[in-house]
Amino acid sequence: QQWGAEFSIWINTLDIPGRYLMYPFINTNTIGSQSEVEAGSSSSMVGFTIFHADSFEEAVAIAQECPLLNTGMVLEVSAIEDMSKLLGA
């Protein structure tokens, strides 16, 4: 699988905090508003990667270079709020 080698090269160029490059989901349940539990996910997300970028626009540009896009996969880019600042920690 050519995309695997290309993905490995791409992901190793990212500024990733911690030691893991990708966090794949292995088991998912969906919890409803009435606390009901349903096996599976309501999204098609299969995992996530956290990396540092100087801006949201830079993060989008980095994601646009991901070779998984060439396989038909879709990526979602989100900013993460540092909750310690909001909670005064």
Side-chain angles (χ1 to χ4, degrees):
Q1 294 178 349
Q2 179 65 27
W3 68 265
E6 293 171 359
F7 177 75
S8 181
I9 292 167
W10 174 80
I11 202 164
N12 281 301
T13 66
L14 303 180
D15 180 5
I16 297 178
R19 77 179 238 234
Y20 296 108
L21 300 178
M22 186 174 180
Y23 298 85
F25 297 132
I26 57 173
N27 193 10
T28 302
N29 282 344
T30 300
I31 312 299
S33 61
Q34 303 298 313
S35 296
E36 67 277 11
V37 178
E38 188 174 314
S41 172
S42 59
S43 77
S44 59
M45 196 164 125
V46 296
F48 66 95
T49 298
I50 297 173
F51 63 89
H52 177 265
D54 290 330
S55 68
F56 186 74
E57 292 75 19
E58 180 186 18
V60 170
I62 290 168
Q64 287 175 315
E65 298 298 319
C66 179
L68 293 180
L69 296 172
N70 298 328
T71 69
M73 289 188 183
V74 176
L75 301 179
E76 187 172 304
V77 177
S78 299
I80 298 174
E81 182 69 48
D82 183 352
M83 293 300 288
S84 64
K85 292 177 186 176
L86 296 174
L87 300 174

